[in-house]
Amino acid sequence: MRTRGFRDATCYVRRAVLGLALAPLVVGMARADAAAASAPPQADDRFVFLTDPNKGQVVKVGSLAIGGPQVQVYPVRPDGTVRNETPLNLVILARFDPTDLSEETQAQAAEGVVAYSAICTHQACPVNMWSKERDAFVCSCHGSVYNPRNGAEVMAGPAPRPLPSLGLKIADGTVVVASGFSGRVGGTQK
C-alpha cells in the first residue's frame, strides 16, 4: 500500500507539473482567440447574422432581399471565430440591383451586395434603422441618413463623413470579405 501511495503522489506531482507547463500555452491560446475576435474584418472572413431568425447562420447572397433593408452581421474567420469582441466590427449588409449602384460602390460590392460599418460616424451609435421613403440607412441616435447605393454618403443629419465600406466577393453563394474597411470606423474623435 505504501508503494501505491507513493506512485499516486508521484502521479499527482507529474500532472501538476504538466498543468503548470501547459498553462502559458492555454493562456496564450485564449489571448490569441480574444485578439482574433477583436481584430477588424479580414480578407476571406464570412459574415453571420446578429439577430433572429437567422442568428449565427452564415450569410448567403440569396438570404438578402433586393432593395433593402439592411441586416446586421459580424464577420467570422474561416476557422469559425466570430469577430464580435468589439462593437466596431458590427457590419450592415444590403443587396441592390447592381445597376442602381454608383461606380465607386460597384467596385466594393459583389453581385449587388454592399457592406458598411454599422457604426455612425457622428457619435458611434448603431446604424440600425431603414428609411423606406429614402431607401437609406438611418442612425437610431441622431438621425443621420446614409445612401447605401452611393458609398454610404451622408444624405442628412450630423454625421461628418460616409460610413466606411468593406470590399466584397462571393464564394459558393456566401458573402465574403475581399478587403478591409475603406476608412476609420467610429464616431468623430474629440
Side-chain angles (χ1 to χ4, degrees), residues 23-112:
L25 178 62
V26 171
V27 169
M29 288 173 29
R31 284 186 186 142
D33 287 347
S38 296
Q42 306 291 314
D44 296 323
D45 281 358
R46 275 64 175 150
F47 296 97
V48 292
F49 288 97
L50 175 68
T51 59
D52 289 327
N54 299 317
K55 184 176 182 174
Q57 294 178 14
V58 173
V59 177
K60 302 280 189 179
V61 174
S63 61
L64 300 171
I66 294 177
Q70 77 270 31
V71 296
Q72 292 182 315
V73 298
Y74 274 117
V76 60
R77 289 172 33 134
D79 71 3
T81 302
V82 179
R83 298 186 190 275
N84 62 356
E85 289 296 316
T86 173
L88 296 179
N89 282 346
L90 186 59
V91 172
I92 46 179
L93 298 177
R95 183 176 176 203
F96 302 98
D97 181 326
T99 61
D100 290 341
L101 303 176
S102 69
E103 278 186 45
E104 174 189 322
T105 305
Q106 283 181 10
Q108 292 283 88
E111 296 183 21

